[in-house]
Amino acid sequence: MEKRTIVAVLVFAIVAVFFFFSIFLIHPFGKPGQVNMDDHIIANTQNETGTNNGVTSVVFDYRGFDTLGEATILFSAVAGVLMIFRRVKQ
Amino acid sequence: MIEYIPFIAVVTMIFIGLYAVLFRRNLIKIVIGISIIESGVNLFLITLGYREGGVAPIFTSLPPGTTYPAGMVLPVPQALTLTSIVIGVAVLALMLSLVMHIYRKYGTLDVRKIRRLKE
Amino acid sequence: MSGMSKIVKTSVNILFPLTMIFGLYVIAHGHLTPGGGFQGGAIVASGCAMIVVAYGSKWVFKQIKEKRLSSFESIGGVGFITVALLGLVFSSVFFGNFLAGSNLLFGTTPATGSTGADFNTGGVLPLMNFAVGVKVIAGLFVIVLVMAYASSVKEWDT
């Protein structure tokens, strides 16, 4: 066996053990623990942002900086693709 | 045990993707593995935000009888998943462009053969 | 890849306007129903990718240049940041929702609880949905178009 395969098997086994023990440390499915922030958003989204859609109010108003970073990533990905293929044309 | 089945599905998806990334030699298959890992992470976020019997947090013509702080799923994990999906599409496009460029330059997709620098 | 057969082209001619209408509906009603700028933009970009599949990327490249699409994407991004900066001017917070509850454009506050769909609500969110929709349409379409064209060209100038 070459060295790369041994390292890969080791990494795979370590991550497997870690994940299978961490499954049972999360809260059960359907009963989230800390819900104060989300309850506040659900209760106040119609008064504070005037929107019926809670997800859109989170995306564009409560967490607008996340969307700004995401738009930057999309922009840089398009710029990267155009830069990679810029010599192909004509 | 039954309430942990969605988390087990998440871990299984992440393992399938990790297997493809670590043990396959074809670059296209590695990209597919990264995409599967990302789907597992999205499923994990959605699973964390689910509340039992909840509806989507949208107030336009709710089903009658919905109590609304406690009868809706959490909106923040859904919004983060939305962000994550678009980032995934962008990263996938960039990875596939690089793979196309590598194939044109080296003539192969095997990661063992493109390790050395050419010219 | 050149164009496909006449059956495919006719089907795409029928389906493309319906896809555009559905995607623009999802963008415009992003603050009332499930959906928004990203999802509607992805739907419209899928319709444009259908055009690329049916007619071939060379034909599409003759109709529209990728520089124009790239500038459309920049317009979307600049519009998004401009709305955010207007929030800094009018409500002293970056990304502040200065139109909500002001009875101007999109300024009505809906009643609490289950309401009907009033289009004139939401503050700056419909404007941001529109800007992000334009950005996502142009971005995804230019990615699909450039990759399809590059995979159809025989020789690259590397």
Side-chain angles (χ1 to χ4, degrees):
Chain A
M1 263 205 309
E2 53 180 311
K3 211 157 104 188
R4 185 181 186 271
T5 317
I6 299 173
V7 173
V9 168
L10 269 180
V11 168
F12 198 71
I14 289 171
V15 175
V17 169
F18 173 71
F19 271 1
F20 271 117
F21 278 106
S22 65
I23 285 177
F24 300 101
L25 298 178
I26 313 174
H27 60 76
F29 177 62
K31 299 180 185 63
Q34 294 289 328
V35 292
N36 296 331
M37 178 180 66
D38 299 88
D39 278 348
H40 177 269
I41 287 173
I42 288 173
N44 291 319
T45 177
Q46 284 183 312
N47 291 326
E48 289 180 356
T49 69
T51 314
N52 277 342
N53 192 338
V55 180
T56 303
S57 75
V58 173
V59 167
F60 288 116
D61 200 323
Y62 289 104
R63 288 185 175 245
F65 277 98
D66 277 353
T67 311
L68 183 61
E70 183 272 333
T72 312
I73 286 178
L74 184 61
F75 186 81
S76 53
V78 171
V81 170
L82 285 181
M83 189 193 73
I84 286 172
F85 290 129
R86 77 182 187 279
R87 289 186 184 156
V88 179
K89 281 167 274 149
Q90 283 96 34
Chain B
M1 188 64 193
I2 187 75
E3 63 263 28
Y4 289 105
I5 281 183
F7 296 113
I8 293 173
V10 167
V11 168
T12 312
M13 279 182 82
I14 291 179
F15 278 159
I16 292 170
L18 205 61
Y19 171 77
V21 171
L22 287 178
F23 294 103
R24 295 284 108 185
R25 305 302 173 103
N26 194 332
L27 272 176
I28 297 285
K29 289 178 184 172
I30 289 177
V31 170
I32 291 173
I34 292 173
S35 193
I36 292 175
I37 290 178
E38 182 198 305
S39 305
V41 172
N42 291 341
L43 183 61
F44 178 60
L45 281 172
I46 286 291
T47 309
L48 275 187
Y50 183 69
R51 198 148 32 182
E52 210 162 8
V55 299
I58 293 167
F59 290 91
T60 306
S61 56
L62 275 178
T66 309
T67 57
Y68 70 79
M72 285 182 171
V73 299
L74 313 186
V76 174
Q78 300 209 2
L80 293 186
T81 310
L82 181 56
T83 307
S84 165
I85 287 172
V86 181
I87 289 174
V89 170
V91 172
L92 183 66
L94 201 54
M95 281 192 297
L96 284 178
S97 318
L98 285 173
V99 168
M100 282 168 71
H101 211 74
I102 283 172
Y103 184 73
R104 290 290 174 141
K105 190 150 179 76
Y106 289 91
T108 178
L109 283 177
D110 197 336
V111 288
R112 285 170 299 187
K113 291 186 183 136
I114 59 180
R115 260 190 306 197
R116 70 187 73 89
L117 293 174
K118 206 171 182 183
E119 283 135 350
Chain C
M1 181 197 326
S2 59
M4 295 180 78
S5 70
K6 187 161 258 193
I7 300 173
V8 179
K9 285 183 184 173
T10 311
S11 313
V12 167
N13 284 343
I14 296 169
L15 280 177
F16 181 67
L18 301 177
T19 316
M20 294 291 279
I21 288 171
F22 179 57
L24 293 177
Y25 163 77
V26 169
I27 290 177
H29 288 243
H31 57 295
L32 295 172
T33 54
F38 298 117
Q39 296 93 327
I43 291 169
V44 176
S46 324
C48 298
M50 197 164 64
I51 288 283
V52 174
V53 168
Y55 282 87
S57 51
K58 288 202 177 94
W59 185 84
V60 180
F61 241 98
K62 271 182 212 149
Q63 312 301 317
I64 185 162
K65 295 291 175 208
E66 91 276 7
K67 274 188 183 139
R68 191 161 299 170
L69 284 171
S70 185
S71 59
F72 261 112
E73 201 212 353
S74 305
I75 287 170
V78 167
F80 182 65
I81 297 177
T82 305
V83 175
L85 283 176
L86 284 180
L88 184 61
V89 171
F90 286 111
S91 72
S92 74
V93 182
F94 197 54
F95 280 103
N97 198 339
F98 60 94
L99 280 176
S102 66
N103 289 323
L104 293 174
L105 180 71
F106 297 125
T108 315
T109 304
T112 314
S114 172
T115 57
D118 184 6
F119 190 75
N120 197 17
T121 57
V124 297
L125 300 187
L127 304 175
M128 283 187 178
N129 263 325
F130 185 70
V132 170
V134 170
K135 184 177 170 56
V136 172
I137 290 170
L140 293 187
F141 183 41
V142 74
I143 285 175
V144 168
L145 183 58
V146 169
M147 285 181 75
Y149 185 72
S151 63
S152 72
V153 172
K154 285 282 183 296
E155 297 196 353
W156 287 16
D157 184 21
T158 48

